[in-house]
């Protein structure tokens, strides 16, 4: 990405909403400092920064999530929270104002020239634009980032989004997220596990695989999501990288049908930590463009078919480990 050309996400937020933070802008614009062996590329690094927000519980009244923007003026939001009761509006959060029926009714009865009404309308309009800003994106990888950023500010509910809630661990486990973290998942996708390798499959209440964990292959307790999940109100796409930290002996489980490892109900897990998006979160035809130097590293280091491997291959392998009835 040339220094002279903004990444599509940077351009969209600058044009339609509010400029992203200098840190996110620099990363998405692929500043050379992020194109390293440890960081991978600016896009990858941006998803790590986003992960730091995702792993924290959404604060209904605090403004720390607005740090994704360069300079978001919070005066209007403070005024709304402080003055809402005197206008007959019971608000316990500044988030999702655009979906709040009481807010809509309040705006209809207020004098539009009042400062409070203007502030309220301003924030409702901003949130409505943020909610749909992904529609301005042409690139697959841009849509992913736009949706992540929108959910950080406008948290969803798992039931409304139709996804499984993934509990967040209180602390980050000591599991890496380097650009080579995909190495063994790519091998697993092609049935090329190391001899000592193990995989654990986390399943939902219907015994459907939702996440795969690898052991004795690179960092232990590194997991990849196989379906979209939600953490702290943020929808995370399939192909997200997580870490886990748990005591296996305390969990209900049964052995995999083919490979070493276990099938484990995800409901029994104490939580996960979201690390970043993997290259598998983007379809093969767009991977090289989205992940740039990170993807080039994977190719140069001889990772197994990083250009063509699909997440569906991991899903098939995970499904093959699960007994339809009870294991023998």
């Amino acid at each position: 990405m040339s220094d002279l050309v903004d990444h599509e996400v940077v351009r969209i937020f600058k044009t339609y909403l509010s400029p992203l933070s200098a840190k996110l802008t620099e990363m998405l614009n692929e500043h050379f400092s992020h194109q390293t062996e440890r960081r991978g590329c600016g896009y990858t690094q941006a998803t790590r920064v986003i992960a730091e927000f995702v792993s924290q519980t959404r604060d209904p009244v605090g403004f720390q999530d607005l740090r994704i923007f360069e300079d978001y003026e919070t005066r209007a939001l403070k005024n709304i929270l402080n003055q809402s009761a005197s206008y007959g509006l019971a608000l316990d959060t500044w988030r999702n104002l655009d979906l709040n029926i009481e807010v809509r009714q309040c705006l209809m009865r207020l004098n539009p020239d009042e400062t409070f009404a203007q502030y309220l309308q301003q924030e409702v309009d901003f949130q409505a634009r943020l909610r749909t800003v992904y529609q301005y994106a042409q690139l697959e990888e841009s849509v992913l980032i736009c949706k992540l950023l929108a959910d950080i500010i406008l948290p969803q509910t798992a039931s409304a989004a139709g996804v499984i809630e993934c509990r967040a661990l209180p602390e980050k486990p000591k599991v890496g997220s380097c650009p080579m973290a995909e190495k063994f998942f790519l091998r697993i996708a092609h049935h090329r596990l190391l001899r000592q390798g193990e995989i654990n499959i986390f399943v939902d209440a219907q015994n459907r695989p939702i996440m795969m964990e690898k052991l004795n292959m690179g960092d232990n307790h590194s997991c990849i999501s196989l379906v979209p999940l939600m953490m702290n109100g943020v929808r995370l796409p399939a192909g997200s990288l997580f870490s886990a930290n748990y005591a296996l002996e305390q969990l209900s489980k049964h052995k995999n049908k083919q490979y070493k490892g276990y099938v484990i109900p995800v409901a029994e897990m104490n939580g996960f930590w979201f690390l970043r998006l993997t290259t598998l979160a983007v379809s093969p035809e767009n991977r090289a463009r989205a992940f740039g130097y990170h993807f080039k590293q994977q190719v140069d280091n001889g990772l197994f078919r990083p250009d063509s491997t699909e997440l569906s291959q991991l899903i098939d392998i995970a499904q093959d480990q699960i007994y339809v009835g009870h294991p023998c």
Side-chain angles (χ1 to χ4, degrees):
M1 181 72 61
S2 165
D3 290 338
L4 301 177
V5 181
D6 279 336
H7 188 281
E8 184 179 44
V9 173
V10 172
R11 192 168 65 250
I12 286 170
F13 273 82
K14 200 181 287 183
T15 303
Y16 298 103
L17 287 159
S18 182
L20 293 175
S21 69
K23 182 193 286 188
L24 279 172
T25 296
E26 180 185 271
M27 290 171 179
L28 288 168
N29 281 347
E30 295 297 344
H31 188 270
F32 68 87
S33 62
H34 302 295
Q35 299 185 6
T36 66
E37 284 189 17
R38 292 299 302 166
R39 294 182 177 182
C41 70
Y43 185 87
T44 303
Q45 190 68 356
T47 71
R48 288 194 186 95
V49 169
I50 290 170
E52 293 170 12
F53 284 90
V54 173
S55 294
Q56 305 302 315
T57 305
R58 308 272 72 74
D59 185 333
V61 294
F63 301 128
Q64 52 266 46
D65 285 344
L66 291 167
R67 288 179 295 126
I68 66 170
F69 300 111
E70 178 58 20
D71 188 22
Y72 194 90
E73 175 54 63
T74 58
R75 185 193 315 165
L77 290 175
K78 289 174 182 174
N79 182 280
I80 290 166
L81 290 177
N82 292 335
Q83 301 294 321
S84 59
S86 61
Y87 287 91
L89 193 57
L91 289 181
D92 54 10
T93 181
W94 55 266
R95 301 177 191 267
N96 293 314
L97 293 172
D98 60 316
L99 299 184
N100 190 317
I101 294 172
E102 291 181 7
V103 166
R104 216 172 300 154
Q105 293 170 341
C106 181
L107 282 169
M108 289 172 66
R109 66 174 183 266
L110 286 179
N111 179 346
D113 293 329
E114 283 191 62
T115 301
F116 179 81
Q118 291 175 348
Y119 280 156
L120 190 57
Q121 189 66 61
Q122 168 189 311
E123 296 301 327
V124 164
D125 290 346
F126 180 87
Q127 292 182 10
R129 290 199 307 275
L130 175 59
R131 191 177 301 282
T132 58
V133 74
Y134 71 92
Q135 294 176 359
Y136 292 107
Q138 300 294 313
L139 307 180
E140 178 186 2
E141 63 271 24
S142 297
V143 172
L144 291 177
I145 297 291
C146 287
K147 287 184 174 181
L148 288 169
L149 293 175
D151 283 5
I152 288 170
I153 304 302
L154 307 171
Q156 308 286 313
T157 61
S159 57
V163 296
I164 293 171
E165 181 78 39
C166 184
R167 285 192 294 272
L169 288 169
E171 292 183 0
K172 182 179 180 180
K174 292 181 179 178
V175 178
S177 66
C178 80
M180 295 298 107
E182 284 89 338
K183 176 179 180 179
F184 292 104
F185 287 119
L186 289 168
R187 291 180 62 95
I188 293 166
H190 296 275
H191 297 272
R192 290 172 175 255
L193 280 73
L194 300 185
R195 189 165 23 172
Q196 74 278 15
E198 298 181 26
I199 55 172
N200 290 331
I201 312 301
F202 299 112
V203 296
D204 66 10
Q206 285 74 46
N207 232 20
R208 294 176 298 207
I210 66 163
M211 198 181 289
M212 178 185 287
E213 176 187 35
K214 63 180 177 63
L215 300 164
N216 304 324
M217 294 177 282
D219 273 2
N220 283 338
H221 304 303
S222 179
C223 313
I224 189 169
S225 61
L226 305 176
V227 298
L229 298 171
M230 177 170 290
M231 180 175 282
N232 290 325
V234 181
R235 292 166 295 180
L236 301 172
S240 293
L241 187 69
F242 295 85
S243 54
N245 183 20
Y246 60 94
L248 182 65
E249 63 275 8
Q250 296 176 5
L251 302 175
S252 301
K253 57 190 179 294
H254 69 71
K255 288 185 177 180
N256 292 332
K257 283 173 73 174
Q258 297 172 330
Y259 295 117
K260 285 186 282 188
Y262 297 92
V263 175
I264 302 168
V266 74
E268 296 206 8
M269 293 293 290
N270 55 353
F272 297 89
W273 192 272
F274 174 47
L275 294 169
R276 64 170 173 84
L277 297 187
T278 71
T279 51
L280 288 164
V282 172
S283 54
E285 61 269 23
N286 296 327
R287 237 168 249 168
R289 180 191 63 210
F291 288 90
Y293 188 75
H294 180 171
F295 181 80
K296 182 178 183 297
Q297 268 186 270
Q298 293 185 345
V299 174
D300 291 349
N301 282 280
L303 269 62
F304 199 78
R305 298 182 185 171
D307 59 332
S308 60
T309 301
E310 304 217 24
L311 202 58
S312 59
Q313 294 169 250
L314 281 174
I315 295 170
D316 289 343
I317 285 171
Q319 190 66 58
D320 288 344
Q321 308 314 309
I322 300 167
Y323 289 85
V324 175
H326 292 287
C328 298

